[in-house]
Amino acid sequence: MPELPEVETVRRGLEPAMDGARFIKVEVHRGDLRWPLPKDFAKRLEGTAVTGLGRRAKYLLADLSSGEVLMMHLGMSGSFHVFDEKKRSAPGRYYHERSKHTAHDHVVFHMSSGATVTFNDPRRFGSMKLVARAKLDAEPLLKGLGPEPLGNEFDAAMLARACKGKNTSLKAALLDQRIVAGLGNIYVCEALHRALLSPKRKASTIATRTGAPNERAERLVESIKAVLKDAIKDGGSSLRDHKLTDGGLGMFQHNFRVYDREGERCRTPGCGGTVKRIVQNGRSTFYCPSCQR
Ligand SMILES: [Zn+2]
């Protein structure tokens, strides 16, 4: 499932094709995504311009000249493909990769930039929704989300306050979208490993009794930001090199330090431990029992 860095990479990949461009024609091949597409979806988009392409947690938010916002979520298997005049005429794998998957191209945007943007989603857990800009703050899908992990609002003081007195595991606390928005299983495992903190540790142990941050909270916030920034940077290089898996925006390979590396050597310099997999709240956690305490 795409996590925050993938979604941010998708946003950056879509920006040149969509930002500042008008929807000339919108094709809907299948309207039953996770939820049905909004009423008159194509009609409400056609003729409007994208005035900005942002992101909140794992939602892409396209501001429209009509006063609405197009919210897009990749779900489990969604990806976007961008075809522009240059790439279409370029030789190679783009064309081929695309034709393989057209059965799952559910929505197609023809933009005034000359680009065609397709949304492909074999499992159809992705979604698109139109919301009035003025009502975005009240939007149930976004309401109650914690701060963006890469924003200034997310710091050690804030995280310690949120974890104060919490008996849940540190991992569960970081997956709680009300505490911090957009972190998923992969980057929580990776961030805890970088911070050398055990995923099983109680969340309350990163705060003093009064809820002030201790040194662990500082380390953890730094690690979360670093792991996300590195992944976004990797995504950026895969955008440039067209190395995204399946030729689409939304999925790419990373060099994880612990995630999906059960039984392999820990990558913390000088550790020599072995990555272990445990199950917490029904989901796999990968960590190194030797250096994560
Ligand atoms: Zn280790």
Side-chain angles (χ1 to χ4, degrees):
M1 184 192 290
E3 291 198 25
L4 189 150
E6 284 87 347
V7 179
E8 178 57 24
T9 302
V10 170
R11 192 194 69 73
R12 293 177 188 192
L14 291 178
E15 220 166 23
M18 294 184 77
D19 195 9
R22 265 180 310 109
F23 292 89
I24 289 176
K25 187 173 160 35
V26 174
E27 293 171 48
V28 175
H29 298 265
R30 274 199 84 145
D32 54 336
L33 302 181
R34 179 164 191 178
W35 301 293
L37 287 176
K39 206 169 165 277
D40 300 324
F41 183 69
K43 219 194 270 175
R44 280 156 77 180
L45 290 176
E46 283 169 1
T48 65
V50 176
T51 57
L53 190 62
R55 180 187 57 76
R56 175 73 172 112
K58 294 204 283 181
Y59 288 93
L60 293 164
L61 303 176
D63 266 298
L64 306 176
S65 56
S66 60
E68 291 192 299
V69 176
L70 171 61
M71 291 178 64
M72 299 177 279
H73 196 285
L74 296 167
M76 307 279 284
S77 57
S79 64
F80 283 95
H81 296 237
V82 177
F83 308 93
D84 61 33
E85 295 304 328
K86 265 181 275 161
K87 275 170 201 145
R88 193 168 299 171
S89 60
R93 54 188 274 257
Y94 230 137
Y95 225 114
H96 173 70
E97 298 276 3
R98 189 209 174 193
S99 56
K100 217 165 52 179
H101 293 294
T102 45
H104 303 295
D105 283 352
H106 305 311
V107 180
V108 183
F109 300 140
H110 298 274
M111 307 302 298
S112 64
S113 60
T116 301
V117 176
T118 62
F119 179 65
N120 182 290
D121 189 359
R123 296 180 65 181
R124 284 184 291 117
F125 278 104
S127 62
M128 293 196 188
K129 188 173 179 179
L130 284 164
V131 182
R133 177 85 225 174
K135 289 188 179 160
L136 202 62
D137 285 344
E139 167 54 39
L141 295 169
L142 303 179
K143 218 175 150 182
L145 284 178
E148 285 290 317
L150 290 172
N152 292 333
E153 210 190 313
F154 180 67
D155 61 13
M158 178 266 144
L159 186 60
R161 227 171 16 248
C163 288
K164 180 192 156 196
K166 266 205 182 342
N167 266 325
T168 53
S169 68
L170 199 46
K171 189 193 177 203
L174 294 178
L175 285 174
D176 184 343
Q177 301 297 300
R178 294 165 299 183
I179 293 180
V180 54
L183 283 185
N185 204 36
I186 294 174
Y187 294 102
V188 166
C189 290
E190 291 293 308
L192 286 167
H193 180 256
R194 280 206 202 197
L196 305 176
L197 292 172
S198 168
K200 297 190 285 186
R201 167 182 283 287
K202 273 188 187 175
S204 59
T205 61
I206 65 161
T208 66
R209 258 191 216 116
T210 58
N214 60 23
E215 177 272 333
R216 293 187 198 105
E218 307 277 356
R219 231 189 313 151
L220 183 53
V221 165
E222 256 172 51
S223 299
I224 290 169
K225 289 183 191 270
V227 92
L228 294 175
K229 278 183 191 158
D230 283 356
I232 291 170
K233 214 167 105 198
D234 279 355
S237 43
S238 49
L239 269 184
R240 275 192 303 279
D241 306 341
H242 301 285
K243 274 185 187 153
L244 298 161
T245 50
D246 330 298
L249 297 171
M251 304 285 181
F252 52 86
Q253 307 289 337
H254 300 288
N255 294 315
F256 298 129
R257 295 191 189 175
V258 279
Y259 190 80
D260 213 12
R261 294 190 64 239
E262 185 182 11
E264 291 180 49
R265 180 66 67 89
C266 171
R267 288 188 171 150
T268 300
C271 169
T274 303
V275 176
K276 195 176 164 187
R277 186 183 77 93
I278 56 170
V279 175
Q280 287 179 292
N281 304 94
R283 304 188 67 186
S284 289
T285 299
F286 297 89
Y287 79 113
C288 171
S290 306
C291 64
Q292 289 181 254
R293 296 304 173 96

